[in-house]
Structure formats: C-alpha cells, structure tokens
Amino acid sequence: MIASAISRGEVLTYLENFLDYNFDSLLKSVEDSWQPADLLPDSRFDNFLEEIKQLRERAKELSYDLVAVLIGDTITEEALPTYESWLMSTDGLTRDPNSGWMKWIRAWTAEENRHGDLLNRYLYLSGRVNMREMEASTQYLIADGFDLQTGNDPYRAFVYTSFQETATNISHRRVAALAKKSGDLMLAKLCGNIAADEARHAKAYKGFVEKIFEVDPNGMMMAFEDMMRKKIVMPAHYLRELGVNIGQTFGHFTDAAQRIGVYTSADYTDILEDLIKDWKIENMTGLNDASEKARDYVMALPARLRRVAERMRIPELQYKFRWIEG
Ligand SMILES: [Fe+2]
Ligand SMILES: [Fe+2]
C-alpha cells in the first residue's frame, strides 16, 4: 500500500475550516427546521380524532409493498444511534466538543433524529402496522449493529455517507411520489421533507470528498475504489424480524423496493455515475500508478453493474412481513 503524503488527521483539520465556513448552508438551525409535529395531526385539538380517521382511510389505500418499504425505511432511520457512534469512531477527528467535527456530528444527528420520529408516528397512527413487531426489528438492528465496511477511515466513511444520503434522498422522494399518487398527501409531504434533508446531507458529504480530492487525490481515489469493490452495503441489509432467520427480511424488503421502483439496482449505478461526474474522476490529475488503476476500476464499474442488473429478475411473490397487519 502506498502511503499518502498527507495524514488523515491533517486533511480533517483542513476540512474543518471549510466546514466552519459552510456550516449554515449544510445544516439547518433548530429555528429553521421543520418538526414532526408540524406535519401530523395535533392531539390538543378537537378535530384530532377526525383527522386520524381520515389519515387511516388514506393509509388503507397504500399498497402492501409501499407499507413494507416505509417500515424498513423507518427502522433504518431509527437506527440512528449506530450511525452516530460509527461517525464518532472515525480516525483523525478532533474530539474537542467545540470543534467543527463534533458540532457537525451533533447537528447532523439532531436533524436525522426527526426522520425516525416522524415516520414512526405516522405509521403508528396509520393502523397498518404491527408496531410491536416493527419495534422489535428496530431493537434488533441497533443491538446487532452493522458493519459499513469503512474501518475507521474518514475517507471511506465520507464515500459511504455520500452514497447513502443520496440513496435515502431517492427512496424517500419516490415514496413521496407513490403516496401522492395513492392520494395520501400528508404522507407525501412528510417524505418530501425528509428527502429534502437527505439531499442537503448528500451535498455536504459529497463536498467533503471533493475537498479531500483536492489535497489528497491518491488517498481519496484508493478509498473510493476500495468502497466500490466492497459494494455499499445498506443498513437495511441487517434488518431482521422476530423469529425470522437473519438475511431473509432484507431480501424481501429489497424485492418490495424494486417492485415499486423506490430503490433499484439501476439507482445504485446511477448514484455511482453521478459521484464519478461530481468528483470529476475522469479528468483528475496528480495520480500515481496505483490510483490510476483504482480510477480505471471505478470508471469501468457502471457499465459492468448495468450488465449484471440486466440479468437480474425481481420476484413477483409477495412475502408476508410480520410488521404488517392483515
Ligand atoms: Fe434520514
Ligand atoms: Fe441524511
């Protein structure tokens, strides 16, 4: 392995200035943020029960696959403690509570925390979900933990988050569109709000990687290649239901997502292509032999993935999740 001329710690310190300077455009203040309560019926008011009745009527029209995807999305949002501790374990971060990185992790976590709250509350009110089963899956996911395959490397972590935040933006946006089509405008708005947060997060993390490419193109390229070789593993991969073997639930969840087009293998490739474009991988200069090879691998990957995806078939069969009633 070729050592980078510049250490991860030095790069993160350099990035901290960029972070401080752009903080307000990358994350929102509490004052400027929506809260779950803004988007759901308010139990203090007399029309609450009537609103819930209507919410439940609309939720009845949502397809089985859509409800399954919403539940899986909710559980993965609810596993937020795991992402926070994962980010905190990144090498080279300044641990001073007033540092830019610590402020970033806290504020990012605080924004994300609203996502699980909002989705969870909607699903509870919808009448479509066996909440106990869903909660058990959430507890499993947090207790089991999941390996995002980044080691403690910040470069790999930021490739991961660039990818993952973009993927969540896409899936929440598509769920919003399907909810709208089904006549549930409340759910559509709620998922749209979450998607907008995810888009901002994706922009931030992609910006970090872009900055790293400027100062350490070789180190960053090797990290990008390594993550793409390992494949970006979604946290949903580790989903599990009570009494169901590990691995089964994810397969059915991802089938449901593919069937309704919320997140497909084509999306994975599209995201990769966008990252290649955004990070100007093709025209990057200053690379050594090893990272030239890494670039070649990454550049050739989208075409390869598309060939594989063409051969893949999505099962028609609907699985009966323990999360969903009836
Ligand atoms: Fe989120
Ligand atoms: Fe996010």
Side-chain angles (χ1 to χ4, degrees), residues 77 108 111-113 115-116 165 168 172 194 197-198 201:
E77 292 282 355
W108 174 84
E111 276 202 4
E112 286 286 346
N113 190 50
H115 299 172
E165 296 278 12
T168 50
H172 288 305
I194 296 174
D197 281 1
E198 311 293 20
H201 299 163

Side-chain angles (χ1 to χ4, degrees), residues 43-60:
S43 65
R44 292 170 304 170
F45 299 144
D46 290 340
N47 60 353
F48 177 67
L49 292 177
E50 180 52 35
E51 283 191 63
I52 297 302
K53 215 174 120 199
Q54 289 167 13
L55 187 156
R56 290 164 64 97
E57 287 303 317
R58 291 189 301 266
K60 273 184 197 149

Side-chain angles (χ1 to χ4, degrees), residues 265-284:
S265 47
D267 290 318
Y268 185 96
T269 313
D270 289 346
I271 295 172
L272 172 59
E273 265 181 340
D274 284 347
L275 294 179
I276 290 172
K277 223 182 291 158
D278 287 348
W279 292 336
K280 303 182 181 67
I281 298 296
E282 192 172 2
N283 302 313
M284 190 151 304

